[in-house]
């Protein structure tokens, strides 16, 4: 999913943003209101997302590689509406879209 479609899902369908980057990457900022659960912890911390399964979820990492693995894990947690942010955090930042401090 591209930045424009992601923004639409966030604004109109209350999509959840899930940042699966590791902690050291997260220090450079995050997308607004994103939930941070590193991919390496998704299995053990997935229950934290259980109450959000009715909402669309947009998963992202640094460039878009790890989000594929995370999407598979999110299916097993009960998410049906799963999107991967094309180009990840870098594409969002490069487009000059809003960020917030981690």
């Amino acid at each position: 999913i591209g930045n424009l479609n992601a923004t639409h899902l966030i604004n109109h369908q209350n999509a959840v943003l899930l940042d699966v980057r590791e902690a050291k990457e997260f220090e450079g900022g995050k997308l607004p209101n994103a939930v941070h659960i590193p991919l390496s912890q998704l299995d053990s911390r997935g229950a934290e997302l259980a109450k959000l399964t009715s909402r669309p979820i947009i998963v992202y990492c640094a460039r878009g590689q790890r989000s594929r693995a995370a999407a598979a894990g999110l299916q097993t947690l009960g998410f049906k509406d799963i999107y991967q942010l094309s180009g990840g955090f870098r594409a969002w930042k490069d487009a000059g879209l809003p960020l917030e401090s981690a």
Side-chain angles (χ1 to χ4, degrees), residues 1 16 18 26 36 52 55 60 63 68 71-72 77 88 95-99:
I1 186 170
V16 177
L18 176 63
F26 191 69
H36 180 234
L52 305 173
R55 293 166 54 187
Y60 71 93
R63 291 195 171 107
R68 281 191 197 101
L77 292 172
L97 293 164
L99 297 171

Side-chain angles (χ1 to χ4, degrees), residues 13-100:
Q13 295 185 32
N14 199 23
V16 177
L17 283 164
L18 176 63
D19 187 325
V20 296
R21 296 175 299 155
E22 294 302 317
K24 62 180 174 16
E25 297 172 284
F26 191 69
E27 293 169 7
K30 65 176 186 160
L31 276 63
N33 300 313
V35 175
H36 180 234
I37 299 179
L39 181 58
S40 62
Q41 299 173 20
L42 191 57
D43 287 343
S44 62
R45 294 180 56 198
E48 295 173 33
L49 300 170
K51 64 186 177 292
L52 305 173
T53 56
S54 64
R55 293 166 54 187
I57 189 163
I58 302 168
V59 61
Y60 71 93
C61 57
R63 291 195 171 107
Q65 301 303 315
R66 288 169 286 177
S67 60
R68 281 191 197 101
L74 290 168
Q75 281 184 316
T76 64
L77 292 172
F79 281 93
K80 305 270 185 266
D81 231 356
I82 304 166
Y83 302 89
Q84 298 166 47
L85 185 61
S86 299
F89 177 80
R90 178 172 298 262
W92 184 273
K93 183 178 179 181
D94 289 350
L97 293 164
L99 297 171
E100 62 185 32

